[in-house]
């Protein structure tokens, strides 16, 4: 472990998140948190839909399915400083399923990592917001992703590095269910368990769909909790659209004895009726009319 | 300017697969969760029992393809070019090619014209990678018809092959009756002043450049190098000997790609001044396909400019110092 | 399924193996089988040691650990015709852990795929017996391997192809435990289960060692049976040096409802005292003296 | 002939790692179950808390290295060259290089001289592959000292780098005081008749070839191209302009490798007759290292013959037809 002085050198530990451990969320405080995160989630969804609609291309389905997860991470759990993206004590987030970049961008903008107006330049030539996350261009992006099945490994590396330095930071990685067909995910899973990376938490966006159809029809993922347990991970299962369940699971993960995964049941395209569970909206932008309709459903203007 | 009909090279691929599948029961098609994009879905719908989706697992896709081929199948394996050649390089090299199996890797989304998805999805080194693999044949069709015919041709060539398909629609340059001649560079437009060698998306740009040049009195010979490997040494040398100058064009890195293949040939056989239009050690980026073509200097005007400089003797042929 | 006429076209089904299904091995017949396979195994070990000793390089440890497995496959279970290596109805074997090539070569030579004298030219320039299996040079080698983690996928492809043709042939693949750290293994595992490849049987040479040390110390494989079960495979566990256990497990695997794996507890370097469980002999040839000593231990001359 | 002291380039790597590890706590080393072969084991024994064995999982090795580098580490990632560059190409490209991270891929067992293990272990395309990756630097040291110094140098260059190390012992060409100058081609022996560009294992062969040629009155300038990327354009052009002829030497495919890099440069800047000594679209095979060097035409005599032909004007410079 790194000496305490190292921690001190970096100044105090306060980031955005409360850094709570194992706290039980109940009572009015919990209800306020729920309300706050649900409001944020709705707004994030609107940004995502508009962003992709204006760009004319992108991945709405898998961006919308992980909104509550990202909200729980960035607006509840993670210690980070949008004004100082390189703050050494920050927690790290890796979007292993990089095509959900719009969700991440919406969150980062809302946190203040960059101007919200940037969102409307998504995927444009020269934009800070690339089709897939680019760490060199976008403040708050820890590592570039887009080729599936690599982000969890990168998160392992971060967790190893932070542990070597005795830093208390945690690393979070969001993985897709289709993405879990990549062998690289299981290589990382094995290494993380072997190294007992208790500062690493993966979240699985278990929306049941990939591009060519339902995961269970393309290449079934079978019993995912059993798979992860057999690979030595602590498994939690939550409703991935229940912000409190997510926050609680994130808190509980702090106490894991090794790497932990939160398997979040989600709905691809969540929040937009005609996108929900619709595989066609994996990687297709809404038309202008669809965009307007979606924004209406999401309470635009309220 | 002429109005060009636009069609996808991947549609040509899908069409060829249907034809092949119809008459040859050995044809099997694999994909890695991109059947809609690569267009193998059409084969899947027609011949479900000969289609296998391997999911998001390109390594397994390629080694599984090898195993299938070892049972006598002619296997088409598709995904995006960057994952087919990069993610599964070792499988392609050590299991498919070293075993010399009938796996035809037909990958879509080659090149910078992938567009908005950006760098992680823009294959800019796939030709380099596949050219480096012994026994691998490399074909880069320029339009719908050429794609269709090339796919049918490689199906019956022995051993592994790589066919690079694009994302965007491209001008239709050939017709129903186009006869693809594997390994034979095709002169699209004769000329005496400079040989412009292009393939895939940039062939049309090269033709536009030649028109532009022609207006200035420079007659460019435009060669369609649909087969990048094996290289048509004879054909290229013959043209280069006549014009004395060569420009190569590719939406791809110049390191190890088409320009490099031609440079290797000329250096050993016929040193001549040359310009390479291509991408120079840069990653891709998000943007519209045509915007990116401009941004990376791959447009007709860039090709014309390269040829012009060569023809006007801007240190062409002579040592600089 | 392929029409019966297809089977007829290929002539009768007799290969070397009996093609038994679910037979219980007991009584004198079983004892004779045991004696036969044990004798063969000892001779195979001698060939392996001599082959690598004369070559001056190669992988004795992992070749010696899988001898009984290969003996059970080639001299009991598999239908194959050494005189007609391309016999369409043959069962297929894939040596996914390609560095154990000497074991495979010894077996193939003994079966009569090529002249035994070839063994002494192992790894020589121009030899039919390459450092790792080469399907173009060596009769009986179904696919080239050597780069780990690809053979099981290739076996999947073969199983798919044979099933498409309605052929009754089975496919066997031998995988290493260190090799199981490759993600490609788990990609193949997932696909095989999804496709219910009941004509595919993997055998895991679970010798507990890789190159850098014990698997449990390098990157632990954890609970392997649980891993394979969670990936949807039928798991059997056997003593990988008990030929009858192996044969029985191979027979039982015929009846599997999907892909099956036989996890064989083995000893790396088995049969040569100073090689057993000795990680140094993973990829090191015995010296001339060591070779002589090993041959003596293996009953050379008897 | 001189008796050359023989040492491993990988030993130079191990030595450098110990030095670096001693004085810089940011140095972290990863391997993929080949720590004994790549020699990272020495670092592991000295600094166990900064060494991670990733097991037989090269993809994870590289992406994990990227993550570590993202936390401020300088990461050395080692395995065999074929697996580092081929099995993990996509990780190297998309996670390490596109993120521009400080990962130094130091891979052993580059080239045909891997010997008896045969084709699946002989990296003949690793230089091609790494050269194709934007931002990647490529270094091929020729002896123990150059390896040691090159490794120390790349440790402190920004971003990713690839260092190709060999399996066999090679003649010691440099000494304790050797100063490695990244990116600067090194003239090992001046000459006026032909420029012989070599790196790694073949540098020594090139020197022997030059001696042989000298006896015939041909003075070859031997250049050590330890840095293959970025290419020392100035240095190479300067020499080529003087000699007017170039031979390149690599134990590697000529498709996209060192020969290709030089051909690309010459074609655009100074077309000159050239010969490439290297492997032409063939897989490796089992055999003793030196036997294979002969078998694939990479020996001193082959280099000398290539130079001789160029100098005697065997269609050098002039179009064939
Ligand atoms: C290595 C790799 N292969 C293929 C792709 C193309 N691709 C992008 S998203 C996707 C499907 C992912 O499914 P999933 O992980 O379930 O994502 P989600 O449902 O959350 O959008 C694929 C195949 C890719 N980006 N990377
Ligand atoms: C892709 C790949 N990575 C690395 C190697 C080098 N290698 C050869 S054998 C081996 C260890 C394999 O261990 P295991 O599978 O347990 O084999 P066994 O103990 O049966 O010999 C390694 C890392 C390889 N051949 N292929
Ligand atoms: Mg999904
Ligand atoms: Mg083992």
């Amino acid at each position: 472990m790194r000496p305490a002085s190292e921690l001190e050198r970096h100044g105090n530990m306060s980031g955005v998140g409360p850094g709570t451990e194992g706290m039980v969320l109940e009572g009015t405080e919990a209800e306020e948190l729920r309300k706050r995160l649900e409001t944020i989630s709705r707004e994030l969804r609107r940004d995502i839909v508009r962003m992709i609609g204006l760009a004319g291309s992108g991945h709405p389905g898998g961006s919308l399915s992980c909104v509550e997860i990202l909200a729980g991470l960035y607006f509840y759990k993670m210690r980070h400083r949008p004004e100082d993206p390189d703050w050494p004590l920050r927690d790290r987030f890796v979007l292993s399923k990089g095509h959900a970049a719009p969700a991440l961008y919406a969150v980062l903008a809302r946190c203040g990592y960059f101007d919200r107006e940037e969102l409307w330049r998504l995927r444009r030539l020269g934009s800070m917001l690339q089709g897939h996350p680019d760490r060199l261009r976008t403040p708050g992006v820890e590592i570039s992703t887009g080729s599936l099945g690599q982000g969890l490994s990168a998160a392992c590396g971060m967790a190893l590095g932070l542990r070597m330095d005795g830093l208390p930071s945690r690393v979070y990685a969001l993985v897709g269910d289709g993405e879990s067909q990549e062998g690289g995910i299981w290589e990382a899973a094995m290494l993380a368990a072997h190294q007992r990376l208790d500062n690493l938490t993966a979240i699985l966006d278990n929306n049941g769909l990939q591009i060519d159809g339902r995961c269970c029809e393309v290449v079934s993922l079978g019993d995912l909790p059993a798979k992860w347990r057999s690979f030595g991970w602590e498994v939690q299962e939550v409703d991935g659209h229940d912000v409190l369940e997510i926050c609680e699971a994130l808190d509980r993960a702090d106490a894991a004895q090794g790497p932990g995964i939160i398997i979040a049941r989600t709905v691809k395209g969540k929040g937009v009726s005609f996108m929900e569970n619709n595989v066609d909206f994996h990687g297709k932008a809404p038309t202008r009319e669809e965009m307007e309709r979606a924004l209406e459903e999401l309470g635009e203007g309220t | 300017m002429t109005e060009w009909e636009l069609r996808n090279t991947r549609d040509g691929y899908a069409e060829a697969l249907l034809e092949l599948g119809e008459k040859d029961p050995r044809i099997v098609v694999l994909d890695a969760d991109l059947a809609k994009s690569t267009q193998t879905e059409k084969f899947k719908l027609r011949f479900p029992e000969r289609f296998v989706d391997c999911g998001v697992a390109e390594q397994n896709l390629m080694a599984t393809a090898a195993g299938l081929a070892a049972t006598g199948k002619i296997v088409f394996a598709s995904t995006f070019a960057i994952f087919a050649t990069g993610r599964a390089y070792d499988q392609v090299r050590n299991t498919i090619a070293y075993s010399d199996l009938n796996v035809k890797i037909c990958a879509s989304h080659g090149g910078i014209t992938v567009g908005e998805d950006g760098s992680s999805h823009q294959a800019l080194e796939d030709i380099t990678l596949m050219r480096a693999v012994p026994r691998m044949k490399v074909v880069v069709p320029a339009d719908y018809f050429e794609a269709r015919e090339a796919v049918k041709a490689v199906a019956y060539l022995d051993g592994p092959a790589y066919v690079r398909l694009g994302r965007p629609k491209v001008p239709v340059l050939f017709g129903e009756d186009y006869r693809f001649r594997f390994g034979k560079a095709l002169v699209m437009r004769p000329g005496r002043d400079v040989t412009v060698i292009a393939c895939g998306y940039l062939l049309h740009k090269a033709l536009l450049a030649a028109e532009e040049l022609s207006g200035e009195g420079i007659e460019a010979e435009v060669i369609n190098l649909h087969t990048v490997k094996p290289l048509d040494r004879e054909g290229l040398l013959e043209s280069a000997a006549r014009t004395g100058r060569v420009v190569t064009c590719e939406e791809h890195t110049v390191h190890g790609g088409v320009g490099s293949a031609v440079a290797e040939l000329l250096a050993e056989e016929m040193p001549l001044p040359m310009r390479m239009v291509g991408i120079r050690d840069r990653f891709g980026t998000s943007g519209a396909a045509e915007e990116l073509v401009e941004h990376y200097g791959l447009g007709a005007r860039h090709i014309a400019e390269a040829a012009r400089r060569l023809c006007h003797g801007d240190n062409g042929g002579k040592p600089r110092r």
Side-chain angles (χ1 to χ4, degrees), chain A, chain B:
Chain A
M1 289 294 282
R2 212 161 181 191
S5 61
E6 179 68 17
L7 284 183
E8 282 152 24
R9 194 159 62 71
H10 293 306
N12 81 58
M13 297 278 301
S14 74
V16 165
T20 46
E21 257 190 56
M23 185 179 92
V24 183
L25 301 168
E26 52 185 21
T28 31
E29 221 178 320
E31 272 321 300
E32 270 168 29
L33 176 62
R34 177 189 295 281
K35 232 180 105 186
R36 185 165 70 89
L37 293 185
E38 286 182 348
T39 307
I40 290 175
S41 296
R42 196 164 343 102
E43 290 169 5
L44 291 173
R45 287 204 161 83
R46 287 203 293 256
D47 284 352
I48 290 169
V49 165
R50 174 169 294 121
M51 213 187 310
I52 300 177
L54 294 179
S57 72
H59 299 80
S63 297
L64 292 170
S65 63
C66 64
V67 166
E68 281 80 7
I69 297 166
L70 292 189
L73 282 167
Y74 277 85
F75 298 103
Y76 170 73
K77 187 63 194 168
M78 282 167 54
R79 279 181 294 242
H80 62 120
R81 293 180 174 167
E83 73 286 3
D84 179 13
D86 294 331
W87 181 43
L89 293 188
R90 75 194 182 279
D91 292 331
R92 266 70 167 180
F93 174 72
V94 176
L95 185 67
S96 194
K97 42 168 278 190
H99 57 281
L104 179 59
Y105 296 157
V107 167
L108 292 175
R110 209 189 143 86
C111 287
Y113 279 93
F114 50 78
D115 193 56
R116 185 155 166 272
E117 291 305 307
E118 290 289 341
L119 298 180
W120 323 131
R121 295 190 15 83
L122 176 72
R123 294 176 158 244
R124 298 269 166 77
L125 184 58
S127 169
M128 123 185 332
L129 302 184
Q130 293 288 297
H132 293 80
D134 180 340
R135 101 185 253 276
L136 300 180
R137 300 211 205 204
T138 315
V141 169
E142 299 283 352
I143 197 148
S144 304
T145 51
S147 177
L148 293 169
Q150 307 188 20
L152 187 61
S153 300
C156 275
M158 292 180 191
L160 282 166
L162 294 167
R163 184 170 72 181
M164 284 178 191
D165 288 348
L167 293 175
S169 307
R170 298 190 60 80
V171 182
Y172 298 92
L174 182 67
V175 176
D177 43 9
E179 182 185 14
S180 304
Q181 291 157 354
E182 284 287 358
I185 294 293
W186 304 101
E187 293 180 0
M190 228 187 261
L191 183 68
H194 179 75
Q195 291 284 340
R196 285 185 228 286
L197 293 178
D198 53 19
N199 55 348
L200 173 66
T201 304
I203 302 115
L204 185 76
D205 186 353
N206 198 12
N207 59 30
L209 296 179
Q210 51 194 109
I211 299 183
D212 284 348
R214 305 201 303 156
C215 300
C216 62
E217 285 168 6
V218 178
V219 173
S220 174
L221 293 159
D223 186 342
L224 271 168
K227 279 193 175 60
W228 284 95
R229 273 193 203 100
S230 77
F231 272 71
W233 287 53
E234 289 192 15
V235 176
Q236 302 187 59
E237 296 181 69
V238 302
D239 174 343
H241 299 305
D242 183 321
V243 286
L244 283 195
E245 275 195 40
I246 292 166
C247 292
E248 280 171 354
L250 289 170
D251 281 347
R252 264 193 304 269
D254 292 345
Q257 295 302 303
I261 183 161
I262 299 169
I263 300 184
R265 281 183 312 280
T266 59
V267 173
K268 203 157 175 172
K270 175 76 178 180
V272 177
S273 62
F274 57 90
M275 290 184 180
E276 284 193 5
N277 275 318
N278 181 352
V279 78
D280 291 343
F281 276 103
H282 167 84
K284 195 181 68 173
T287 62
R288 187 56 72 137
E289 297 71 37
E290 285 168 337
M291 182 179 96
E292 300 297 348
R293 192 139 52 91
L295 289 173
E296 224 162 277
E297 285 189 19
L298 292 166
E300 175 76 328
T302 57
Chain B
M1 289 235 292
T2 351
E3 262 305 317
W4 296 86
E5 187 195 356
L6 298 174
R7 287 179 89 170
N8 270 319
T9 50
R10 351 175 220 155
D11 285 338
Y13 171 44
E15 187 59 36
L17 280 186
L18 291 181
E19 269 186 53
L20 288 165
E22 203 66 65
K23 64 175 189 223
D24 192 334
R26 292 173 303 167
I27 304 288
V28 172
V29 178
L30 304 188
D31 207 303
D33 198 29
L34 287 167
K36 293 172 193 177
S37 294
T38 63
Q39 303 280 359
T40 59
E41 197 178 43
K42 292 177 186 158
F43 183 93
K44 168 186 167 181
L45 292 173
R46 182 87 67 90
F47 308 103
E49 73 291 352
R50 282 191 272 145
F51 176 88
V52 180
D53 201 319
C54 295
V56 196
E58 296 79 10
Q59 296 197 94
N60 191 45
L61 166 80
M62 292 303 171
T64 297
L68 266 157
T71 67
K73 305 295 177 194
I74 298 173
V75 187
F76 286 84
S78 290
T79 175
F80 286 172
I82 193 161
F83 307 127
T85 63
R87 186 60 156 265
Y89 182 84
D90 196 30
Q91 280 74 13
V92 171
R93 193 249 201 213
N94 274 323
T95 300
I96 294 175
Y98 186 51
S99 292
D100 200 14
L101 289 163
N102 273 327
V103 178
K104 318 301 173 182
I105 302 165
C106 295
S108 72
H109 290 61
I112 195 76
T113 52
V114 163
E116 292 80 359
D117 270 351
S119 176
S120 63
H121 284 58
Q122 290 158 331
L124 303 182
E125 316 103 63
D126 55 321
I127 298 174
T128 299
L129 268 59
M130 290 300 97
R131 215 166 67 80
V133 174
R135 297 183 187 139
M136 185 62 69
K137 302 154 202 73
V138 179
V139 176
V140 186
D143 82 344
Y144 168 89
F145 290 108
E146 189 163 64
R148 193 184 72 184
E149 298 307 306
V151 166
K152 290 192 278 181
V154 301
Y156 295 103
L157 294 174
D158 265 352
Y162 175 66
V163 180
R164 183 197 222 206
L165 305 162
R167 188 188 70 84
K169 292 192 171 171
V170 289
V172 171
L173 303 176
F174 302 103
E176 270 300 341
D177 57 344
Y178 177 59
R179 191 163 147 256
F180 176 77
R181 294 180 63 198
F182 176 79
K184 194 87 198 72
L186 178 65
V187 177
M188 303 287 293
R189 173 189 175 121
R192 55 158 198 272
D193 299 322
V194 54
T195 300
V196 177
I197 300 169
C199 61
Y201 193 87
L202 292 200
L203 180 59
H204 178 244
K205 304 289 179 205
L207 290 168
L208 295 181
E211 261 180 54
E212 186 181 328
L213 290 165
S214 182
E216 306 166 18
I218 297 176
E219 291 305 327
E221 175 146 309
V222 179
I223 293 189
N224 175 7
L225 193 69
H226 48 65
T227 306
V228 176
K229 183 180 167 197
L231 207 59
D232 180 0
R233 300 167 62 92
E234 297 285 307
L236 296 183
L237 290 174
E238 190 276 325
S239 173
R242 267 191 292 103
T243 64
R245 300 172 191 87
V246 175
V247 175
T248 58
C249 320
E250 60 199 307
E251 51 157 343
H252 185 272
T253 178
V254 298
H255 292 327
V258 175
S260 197
V262 173
E264 291 162 16
L265 173 69
L266 293 182
E268 291 202 318
E269 299 295 335
M270 191 189 292
L272 285 175
M274 190 176 150
R275 287 285 173 281
M276 296 187 275
V277 173
I279 294 174
R280 294 184 184 252
D281 208 44
R282 291 168 69 190
F283 281 108
T285 194
S286 290
E290 271 295 307
E291 256 179 354
L292 295 174
V293 165
E294 267 299 305
H295 183 72
Y296 285 89
L298 310 173
R301 69 186 180 91
H302 302 98
I303 297 170
E305 178 60 15
R308 202 177 285 127
R309 284 179 166 238
L310 273 184
C311 291
H312 294 161
D314 170 20
N315 82 304
K318 266 132 246 134
R320 260 202 176 149
R321 66 219 71 199

